[in-house]
Amino acid sequence: MTISSIKNQFKAHPVTTALIILGLTISIVLISIGISSVRNTHLLIQQQVHYAPQNATKIELELPDKQDVQALFKVFDGISDQTGVILDRAKMFHNGLMAPVTPEYWTKQVVQRFPLETGRYLNITDIINGEKVALVGKAREKDVRTKNGKPYILLDNEEYEVIGIIGVKGKTTKAIDYKIVIPATSLSSTLLSKLQSTKTIPFLIHNIYTNTYADEKQIKQNAKRLFPEVTCTASPYGETEGIIAPNRGGEIYISIMVYALAIINAINLAAFWIHERKYEIGIRKAFGYSNADIVSMLFWEMCVINLIAVVIGFSIQWMIRSLLSKWLDYPVEITSTTIFAAILFVFATAFFTTAIPSGKAVKIQPVEAIRG
């Protein structure tokens, strides 16, 4: 009966029915994109926390005079073999922009922090010798050039040999896919010049196995011995520091607004339908239909229309998913969460769009059908 009623509605009101389906289709696509956006943001934050320095402490060396940056690494003598050092907030010129880089320093052995798709990680020889080598995220592979049979990348207009590609095969790991890691002993002349012109040098010390309190004490002792007038400050580095969460508020706001407009449009059109169907509703009541039966009929008719919108919306999304993902810069997928949201969408929208018009339907009396 419901399917037959829908067919009759299409025949009697093709334009208004199409408008309802169009508005609801756009709504379900935007809701699906919004769910993908929230999921992607949550995943990105998880990845950033996972790959953040563990048990980290911020160390700032404030020097009274300009110092040779390379000489500053002596302050890390005597720290744990498993404790690494990162030159904080370092940036180098790459592809017309200042790109964040991660200069790493280790005293005796290197602990691998990022997964590699290909190649090898930094080793202690690279750090001791200050080799111009780099690890780059797989999203930067397009920037890698080849010279004399070796891959390299330009940083501050200096060539760094690419020895490994950071990433996880078959997965998008956006938190690390744009990473650039170099030995802290192979900084470009431009970056060295910038650091030497400032009196405050920020570092992070980190250890995946234990806290860095003992290393912090050792660094302060070394700093006072090597640079008597130095000021060395230390503070905890929270695992959520430095996390960048994309602002998706605009997308969610647009989705809500479009859905609200679609609901308002559907309510108005449903009320019009009921007015046009007074004769039909009156006849049904004359043959024993109760008010609950009439409301149920209208509800399930709207459920079918919503379901049609969901099928069309998901079909469109599936067909242009690659284009959407490229445009939005995150995967737009139909997941179990999206399907659950679609089911909720079908019933919630049917309720909202029939709640008010149903009030008019229950007031229609069989005598109205007799009057014509």
Side-chain angles (χ1 to χ4, degrees):
M1 184 65 73
T2 300
I3 300 298
S4 176
S5 298
I6 294 296
K7 288 181 179 178
N8 291 334
Q9 287 302 107
F10 268 107
K11 291 178 181 178
H13 311 286
V15 176
T16 55
T17 307
L19 286 174
I20 288 179
I21 292 175
L22 176 62
L24 295 175
T25 298
I26 294 171
S27 296
I28 192 63
V29 170
L30 290 176
I31 289 170
S32 180
I33 289 173
I35 291 171
S36 294
S37 173
V38 171
R39 180 177 175 273
N40 177 74
T41 300
H42 179 66
L43 183 62
L44 178 59
I45 292 173
Q46 280 187 324
Q47 289 175 357
Q48 290 183 89
V49 170
H50 179 72
Y51 293 113
Q54 302 297 304
N55 300 309
T57 301
K58 292 186 286 187
I59 303 285
E60 285 195 350
L61 299 178
E62 190 172 340
L63 304 163
D65 301 305
K66 296 177 183 178
Q67 297 288 339
D68 179 6
V69 174
Q70 300 293 5
L72 292 179
F73 288 109
K74 293 179 181 178
V75 303
F76 302 111
D77 289 349
I79 65 174
S80 169
D81 294 353
Q82 288 82 34
T83 296
V85 181
I86 299 171
L87 180 61
D88 198 21
R89 302 193 294 271
K91 291 186 177 182
M92 299 173 77
F93 186 78
H94 173 67
N95 267 3
L97 299 170
M98 296 304 294
V101 297
T102 305
E104 290 194 353
Y105 179 80
W106 303 83
T107 55
K108 292 182 180 178
Q109 65 181 47
V110 174
V111 177
Q112 182 170 333
R113 294 182 53 227
F114 305 111
L116 297 181
E117 281 198 345
T118 58
R120 67 170 179 87
Y121 207 77
L122 300 177
N123 59 39
I124 198 65
T125 303
D126 296 327
I127 292 169
I128 291 172
N129 296 336
E131 299 288 351
K132 294 279 187 179
V133 294
L135 305 170
V136 299
K138 60 182 178 183
R140 295 192 183 275
E141 272 194 278
K142 62 183 182 299
D143 302 327
V144 176
R145 303 289 181 266
T146 302
K147 184 177 181 180
N148 298 327
K150 292 183 177 181
Y152 72 92
I153 191 169
L154 279 178
L155 301 172
D156 278 345
N157 295 315
E158 295 185 20
E159 295 178 358
Y160 283 75
E161 182 185 348
V162 176
I163 58 172
I165 301 297
I166 298 171
V168 179
K169 285 185 178 180
K171 289 186 179 180
T172 299
T173 46
K174 200 171 180 180
I176 58 173
D177 286 349
Y178 289 87
K179 279 282 183 185
I180 301 174
V181 181
I182 63 173
T185 51
S186 67
L187 304 179
S188 68
S189 56
T190 302
L191 183 53
L192 279 173
S193 178
K194 288 178 183 177
L195 291 171
Q196 287 168 352
S197 65
T198 181
K199 294 182 180 180
T200 302
I201 311 294
F203 294 96
L204 292 178
I205 58 172
H206 60 94
N207 190 311
I208 63 171
Y209 303 107
T210 185
N211 66 64
T212 53
Y213 179 68
D215 297 316
E216 178 190 327
K217 289 177 63 178
Q218 182 66 55
I219 290 166
K220 287 181 176 178
Q221 291 175 5
N222 291 344
K224 283 293 184 184
R225 176 173 53 83
L226 295 168
F227 312 103
E229 297 182 6
V230 73
T231 300
C232 182
T233 58
S235 58
Y237 181 83
E239 64 175 13
T240 57
E241 288 193 44
I243 286 180
I244 300 172
N247 182 8
R248 308 293 192 195
E251 296 171 13
I252 295 172
Y253 175 77
I254 291 172
S255 299
I256 293 172
M257 289 299 296
V258 170
Y259 181 56
L261 290 172
I263 290 289
I264 293 169
N265 180 55
I267 290 172
N268 290 330
L269 292 175
F272 173 72
W273 283 356
I274 289 171
H275 178 75
E276 292 289 302
R277 297 170 69 184
K278 282 197 300 183
Y279 177 78
E280 175 197 341
I281 293 170
I283 291 294
R284 288 180 184 274
K285 284 191 173 184
F287 280 91
Y289 273 64
S290 66
N291 286 332
D293 293 332
I294 297 297
V295 171
S296 176
M297 177 188 72
L298 297 173
F299 175 80
W300 287 110
E301 284 180 5
M302 191 55 68
C303 281
V304 172
I305 288 175
N306 295 338
L307 185 60
I308 293 171
V310 167
V311 171
I312 294 173
F314 279 176
S315 299
I316 292 171
Q317 180 181 325
W318 186 82
M319 286 187 289
I320 63 170
R321 64 191 184 281
S322 298
L323 182 63
L324 281 174
S325 298
K326 187 175 182 180
W327 178 48
L328 296 169
D329 199 28
Y330 58 80
V332 177
E333 302 168 337
I334 298 173
T335 63
S336 57
T337 304
T338 316
I339 293 171
F340 174 78
I343 295 170
L344 185 64
F345 171 88
V346 167
F347 291 104
T349 304
F351 173 78
F352 290 135
T353 52
T354 57
I356 296 175
S358 292
K360 293 182 178 181
V362 299
K363 292 178 182 178
I364 297 173
Q365 300 301 320
V367 69
E368 296 186 42
I370 298 172
R371 289 172 183 170

